[in-house]
Amino acid sequence: GLLYQEYRDKSTREEIETRRLQDSQTDPEEASPSEETPSEAEPTSTTENKAPTQINLLRNSNSRFNLWQDLPEVQNSGVLSILQPDEIKLQEAMFELVTSEASYYKSLNLLVSHFMENERLKKILHQSEAHILFSNVLDVMAVSERFLLDLEQRVEENIVISDVCDIVYQHTVNHFSVYITYVSNQTYQERTYKQLLQDKPAFREVISQLELDPKCKGLSFSSFLILPFQRITRLKLLVQNILKKVEEKSDRESTALDAHKELETVVKACNEGVRKMSRTEQMISIQKKLEFKIKSVPIISHSRWLLKQGELQQMNGPKTSRTLRTKKLFREIYLFLFNDLLVICRQIPGDKYQVFDSAPRGLLRVEELEDQGQSLANVFILRLLENADDREASYMLKASSQSEMKRWMISLAPNRRTKFVSFTSRLVDCPQIQCVHPYVAQQPDELSLELADVLNILDKTDDGWIFGERLHDQERGWFPSSMGEEILNPKIRAQNLKECFRVHKSDDSQRRKLGSRNRQ
């Protein structure tokens, strides 16, 4: 009877421990959970004649059975002695998708019945505040209920689950757009919640009392509000897990690939919805702070967003005059780097920035200086192939640390070769890390991490930062090295890459088609 937050945390913790165990073994198969050896004497066709099971997860959400093979119906059927170990693993992966949806539905139900429909809360909240806070959660819950009923019906058809990805596909295509609506509201939802806590003591008091109810199991109201975004992301990973276990070139693989592709579209739309809201506000704020000493450049654009901003030290005078005795060797400058444009400024009074140079991002080059003593540590050259005056310009810049220097260099010139080869190179082996502590990105060039995420390490610094590429979605960014544990077993790393290539092979063929079309 776990709430989804508990279920999800338990599941990811188990995933981490499984990888730790595998990483300590010389052979990945040694670390696999033990399954009964199939008996060759019994024919596999007996599974087709089993009576339908009654595993009602929607109405019996307190079921204590987390594994398919622990179900009494499965235990008593003798099917575990017939199925191959790989098929049992696949059954578990499909069953997890179903049971986790039941747990998720239970948590959504609690969000609605315990919080949203609370009479005291209704009196405190204005109708518009309640709408922003809970958005279309009733639609999301209705979609989850319909989805769960279809999954449950499939489980009840036969003890051995035939497939679930066809159901995932149908519901993603026809119903899951409600998630995009809910998640796109997240920026306003968070802001409204913080404002209500600050401005309405009565709201704060009621929420605190509701959170203390044993039903909530110590979980916060905000952990319920974020459920839909967490679920749609997790659902994609659960389908990936099934995809890794189905037979290659089978109907089930084809269905899983289709379901994964549609889910990826929804997740991307959710991410874009959230980003669009915050990016627009951020661009307006930056535009107001800029004063142009050069020809003005329009900053606000629907296709432009901020990648990185911050202060660096620019070296004064020509390179030949470098000396430790120089009183003012460096002076402060401030950079705003967008996805398509670099703006170089100096900070002026009134929280304003005076722009004195700019260049398209595609015309930037960087070069790291060799170690030349403490005064010139973390120094790099930034070249603008064509600046605001249509000329080439060079800046010698000093960062506050090695990690800050590398972060600027990779952001300014993203195609520059990193220390380790990236995922797209299809390298047989590459350093990898798995996340053991969740991390929320603090800067635009950082990557938020969820427990059990596996990433290729593209670069690392001596002061504790890693530039990584997450395997399940190829998102890149920086994060503290303390958030993860390096995967040391080369066989496990190779297995992770192989599974990742398989999951994304349909994406790869699509990319190849696009590349061929572009060349033509």
Side-chain angles (χ1 to χ4, degrees):
L2 297 177
L3 291 174
Y4 183 67
Q5 297 96 313
E6 300 172 293
Y7 189 106
R8 186 169 170 269
D9 187 59
K10 180 174 178 287
S11 176
T12 48
R13 292 285 176 194
E14 286 174 356
E15 198 175 332
I16 288 169
E17 289 306 319
T18 300
R19 273 205 206 97
R20 280 174 174 161
L21 179 62
Q22 289 176 335
D23 201 26
S24 65
Q25 304 286 339
T26 54
D27 186 348
E29 290 302 315
E30 292 178 28
S32 299
S34 59
E35 287 111 0
E36 292 186 44
T37 306
S39 166
E40 294 180 8
E42 298 182 59
T44 55
S45 60
T46 56
T47 60
E48 299 299 321
N49 302 319
K50 296 295 175 187
T53 61
Q54 297 299 315
I55 308 166
N56 198 315
L57 298 165
L58 186 65
R59 293 178 285 281
N60 183 22
S61 58
N62 292 319
S63 171
R64 61 190 175 85
F65 302 106
N66 293 322
L67 293 174
W68 173 79
Q69 58 191 303
D70 289 341
L71 291 167
E73 297 87 349
V74 174
Q75 291 273 332
N76 298 333
S77 69
V79 75
L80 291 173
S81 62
I82 300 169
L83 295 178
Q84 294 292 330
D86 285 348
E87 180 61 33
I88 293 175
K89 289 178 186 176
L90 176 57
Q91 292 294 313
E92 295 293 5
M94 292 191 287
F95 189 65
E96 185 185 359
L97 189 146
V98 181
T99 54
S100 62
E101 188 66 30
S103 179
Y104 167 63
Y105 177 76
K106 180 182 178 181
S107 290
L108 278 182
N109 210 350
L110 191 58
L111 171 62
V112 171
S113 62
H114 186 61
F115 290 99
M116 182 179 171
E117 294 177 351
N118 180 269
E119 290 302 324
R120 287 176 64 197
L121 206 56
K122 280 182 180 179
K123 290 175 184 176
I124 294 167
L125 292 174
H126 188 273
Q127 191 175 353
S128 62
E129 292 170 334
H131 177 69
I132 294 172
L133 207 55
F134 295 103
S135 189
N136 63 328
V137 70
L138 290 175
D139 295 335
V140 173
M141 190 169 79
V143 164
S144 174
E145 181 174 2
R146 194 182 305 134
F147 181 43
L148 181 56
L149 284 168
D150 283 353
L151 290 171
E152 188 179 79
Q153 185 178 349
R154 178 63 56 83
V155 171
E156 289 177 353
E157 285 174 3
N158 199 301
I159 289 173
V160 179
I161 306 166
S162 58
D163 198 0
V164 293
C165 288
D166 56 330
I167 298 172
V168 175
Y169 173 81
Q170 291 296 335
H171 280 262
T172 306
V173 170
N174 298 317
H175 308 298
F176 282 5
S177 59
V178 297
Y179 281 96
I180 302 170
T181 305
Y182 186 93
V183 174
S184 296
N185 181 54
Q186 191 176 314
T187 303
Y188 297 130
Q189 184 188 62
E190 289 173 357
R191 186 180 303 158
T192 301
Y193 180 50
K194 286 176 184 175
Q195 202 69 45
L196 286 167
L197 288 174
Q198 187 178 317
D199 298 345
K200 291 191 175 182
F203 173 81
R204 190 166 60 242
E205 183 185 341
V206 171
I207 290 294
S208 296
Q209 288 175 359
L210 291 174
E211 287 176 337
L212 289 172
D213 192 296
K215 292 178 193 170
C216 295
K217 300 188 178 182
L219 295 163
S220 68
F221 174 52
S222 56
S223 78
F224 286 91
L225 288 178
I226 204 171
L227 281 170
F229 190 30
Q230 290 180 330
R231 180 56 184 170
I232 196 69
T233 308
R234 185 67 182 168
L235 200 54
K236 188 188 85 166
L237 297 181
L238 290 170
V239 170
Q240 282 190 7
N241 194 34
I242 293 169
L243 185 50
K244 294 169 187 175
K245 293 174 171 59
V246 294
E247 321 85 66
E248 291 199 46
K249 298 180 180 178
S250 64
D251 288 342
R252 287 198 291 193
E253 183 190 52
S254 177
T255 310
L257 282 167
D258 289 343
H260 180 264
K261 185 180 176 183
E262 293 302 326
L263 278 170
E264 199 151 50
T265 301
V266 172
V267 171
K268 282 179 180 175
C270 287
N271 285 327
E272 282 306 307
V274 174
R275 288 169 183 161
K276 191 175 180 181
M277 298 287 188
S278 56
R279 281 171 177 172
T280 303
E281 293 183 351
Q282 188 179 46
M283 295 302 285
I284 293 169
S285 173
I286 291 171
Q287 174 84 63
K288 289 177 180 176
K289 294 179 180 181
L290 298 182
E291 293 182 1
F292 284 84
K293 189 178 177 181
I294 56 171
K295 185 182 176 182
S296 180
V297 177
I299 295 297
I300 299 173
S301 165
H302 289 298
S303 59
R304 179 173 292 151
W305 61 89
L306 184 72
L307 293 180
K308 190 168 178 62
Q309 70 178 78
E311 189 176 87
L312 288 168
Q313 305 287 316
Q314 180 195 357
M315 191 183 128
N316 281 329
K319 295 182 183 180
T320 52
S321 68
R322 284 183 296 178
T323 168
L324 299 181
R325 295 188 185 90
T326 304
K327 191 172 184 180
K328 190 74 174 173
L329 185 60
F330 294 97
R331 63 181 297 187
E332 293 81 14
I333 63 169
Y334 202 93
L335 272 57
F336 288 96
L337 178 66
F338 305 100
N339 61 309
D340 62 345
L341 177 72
L342 171 68
V343 174
I344 307 176
C345 324
R346 287 197 177 88
Q347 195 161 6
I348 55 178
D351 193 27
K352 298 275 188 178
Y353 299 90
Q354 188 179 65
V355 181
F356 66 87
D357 210 350
S358 67
R361 187 179 176 221
L363 298 178
L364 304 177
R365 301 293 183 268
V366 292
E367 176 191 342
E368 185 176 350
L369 285 186
E370 294 178 9
D371 186 22
Q372 299 189 38
Q374 188 60 38
S375 178
L376 294 174
N378 308 319
V379 173
F380 66 97
I381 304 291
L382 169 63
R383 285 198 299 129
L384 282 56
L385 300 184
E386 189 178 298
N387 73 349
D389 297 324
D390 297 326
R391 294 184 303 187
E392 185 171 326
S394 290
Y395 294 91
M396 184 174 285
L397 304 175
K398 180 179 173 68
S400 58
S401 63
Q402 186 199 40
S403 58
E404 191 63 13
M405 178 189 73
K406 285 199 170 190
R407 285 170 69 162
W408 269 112
M409 291 177 72
I410 285 175
S411 295
L412 289 161
N415 295 324
R416 183 175 173 272
R417 184 183 173 89
T418 52
K419 186 174 181 180
F420 304 106
V421 183
S422 74
F423 164 83
T424 48
S425 70
R426 298 294 189 267
L427 192 69
V428 175
D429 195 15
C430 177
Q432 287 178 7
I433 192 167
Q434 81 158 329
C435 172
V436 295
H437 303 291
Y439 180 69
V440 178
Q442 306 297 311
Q443 300 290 336
D445 66 335
E446 292 179 10
L447 187 64
S448 291
L449 300 178
E450 296 282 353
L451 285 173
D453 277 352
V454 176
L455 305 99
N456 274 347
I457 298 172
L458 305 185
D459 214 330
K460 57 169 68 173
T461 67
D462 296 335
D463 53 353
W465 284 84
I466 287 175
F467 182 56
E469 182 176 56
R470 188 163 43 216
L471 292 190
H472 77 72
D473 61 5
Q474 279 87 68
E475 287 283 325
R476 293 183 174 193
W478 290 90
F479 55 91
S481 56
S482 56
M483 296 299 109
E485 293 176 353
E486 197 159 339
I487 297 171
L488 303 175
N489 191 326
K491 288 186 177 180
I492 300 301
R493 293 198 296 266
Q495 182 179 303
N496 291 338
L497 280 180
K498 182 182 176 184
E499 289 174 349
C500 186
F501 298 156
R502 185 180 178 192
V503 165
H504 293 284
K505 68 180 180 182
S506 61
D507 301 342
D508 293 341
S509 61
Q510 189 67 26
R511 275 196 292 266
R512 281 195 295 272
K513 286 178 187 174
L514 286 171
S516 174
R517 203 174 302 145
N518 291 337
R519 283 192 297 274
Q520 290 169 7

